[in-house]
Amino acid sequence: MKSLYILKISCVIFLASTCHIHAQSQIPKNYNLVYSQDFESTNAIDDFEMTDDNVWQISKDSTGNCMELLSQSKYEPKVRSPFNIALIKDVLVGDFIFEIKLNQNGREYPHRDLCLMFGITNASNFYYTHIATKADEYANSIFIVNDEPRKSIATERTEGSNWGAIDSWHTVRIVRKVETGLIEIYFDDMSQPIMKAKDTHFNSGYLGFGSFDDTGKFDDIKIWAPKMLEKNEGVFK
């Protein structure tokens, strides 16, 4: 009887935990899927504006096609910020949830990174999250680029992110609410963010992905938002 009681309690705890994780991963009812991309189309790359077209291509992976960053860009930003950026041209949003699969295929070292950009107003005004092996002043944090070199604004963050083997894929999600300034970054576990920040400098902008100075692959993009905003012309060119 005691064993049965313990089993029941364990089931309740498990179900509660599962419900919590499921609830955290839910998309708000007033959000619509405004963009998705799996890179299986031959013209998928046309959706993007790059800082350097020459370092990006559609590649074949074991799970299908993906976007690949092949090498360091020759782009030189006006202020210290990521060099390698692919911006989604047709998505301008305020509040949003941005989900993407990432495969960091470079060597292991403390700043081994991939980045997600958001709130992109122009080439020198945006946010980005730098997901790296070890956190420090310039790595594994949330940054603002505001007409000056990038500055960490994270209020909470982990000590680092494990990219694993070169062929490892990870699901990353950004949650942004402009009225409160909320920024949350999730890495595989959608129940607990690995980084948090609060900032209200940019209340809308474009979204993108890339790296500061590494290589990687990107796939299965999904963006949900309450609404889309009117688009502007190019950002980097």
Side-chain angles (χ1 to χ4, degrees), residues 16-40:
S17 175
T18 302
C19 288
H20 174 70
I21 292 172
H22 180 69
Q24 288 291 327
S25 65
Q26 288 295 308
I27 306 302
K29 290 183 178 180
N30 65 321
Y31 281 49
N32 300 308
L33 182 65
V34 297
Y35 181 81
S36 65
Q37 180 59 262
D38 62 8
F39 298 102
E40 296 306 315

Side-chain angles (χ1 to χ4, degrees), residues 74-218:
K74 292 183 179 180
Y75 170 74
E76 296 183 4
K78 292 181 180 179
V79 296
R80 184 70 173 169
S81 55
F83 301 98
N84 309 289
I85 301 174
L87 175 146
I88 305 167
K89 293 189 290 188
D90 289 335
V91 180
L92 180 62
V93 289
D95 292 356
F96 66 83
I97 295 173
F98 176 18
E99 189 170 282
I100 185 171
K101 290 184 179 177
L102 306 180
N103 179 342
Q104 213 295 343
N105 57 22
R107 65 185 177 89
E108 185 60 85
Y109 73 112
H111 281 202
R112 180 187 181 193
D113 83 279
L114 289 178
C115 298
L116 299 179
M117 297 77 181
F118 54 102
I120 302 173
T121 304
N122 57 50
S124 298
N125 292 269
F126 60 94
Y127 301 109
Y128 72 95
T129 178
H130 181 281
I131 302 173
T133 301
K134 185 174 178 59
D136 62 30
E137 184 181 1
Y138 302 116
N140 202 65
S141 192
I142 301 168
F143 295 86
I144 185 171
V145 181
N146 191 22
D147 290 322
E148 60 183 8
R150 83 290 199 217
K151 177 182 177 183
S152 176
I153 57 170
T155 55
E156 297 180 28
R157 58 176 173 159
T158 61
E159 294 181 356
S161 302
N162 182 14
W163 286 111
I166 287 176
D167 60 351
S168 298
W169 284 93
H170 302 273
T171 300
V172 176
R173 176 182 285 187
I174 301 177
V175 176
R176 170 66 169 160
K177 295 182 179 179
V178 298
E179 185 175 352
T180 62
L182 173 74
I183 302 170
E184 292 180 335
I185 314 298
Y186 295 82
F187 187 86
D188 288 334
D189 179 3
M190 298 299 148
S191 69
Q192 182 65 38
I194 61 167
M195 304 175 198
K196 289 184 180 181
K198 183 176 286 189
D199 192 272
T200 56
H201 276 85
F202 309 128
N203 58 17
S204 65
Y206 291 97
L207 310 175
F209 52 85
S211 172
F212 210 104
D213 44 21
D214 281 331
T215 59
K217 298 178 181 179
F218 308 81

Side-chain angles (χ1 to χ4, degrees), residues 5-20:
Y5 175 78
I6 292 173
L7 178 61
K8 287 181 177 179
I9 292 297
S10 298
C11 288
V12 170
I13 292 171
F14 172 78
L15 288 172
S17 175
T18 302
C19 288
H20 174 70

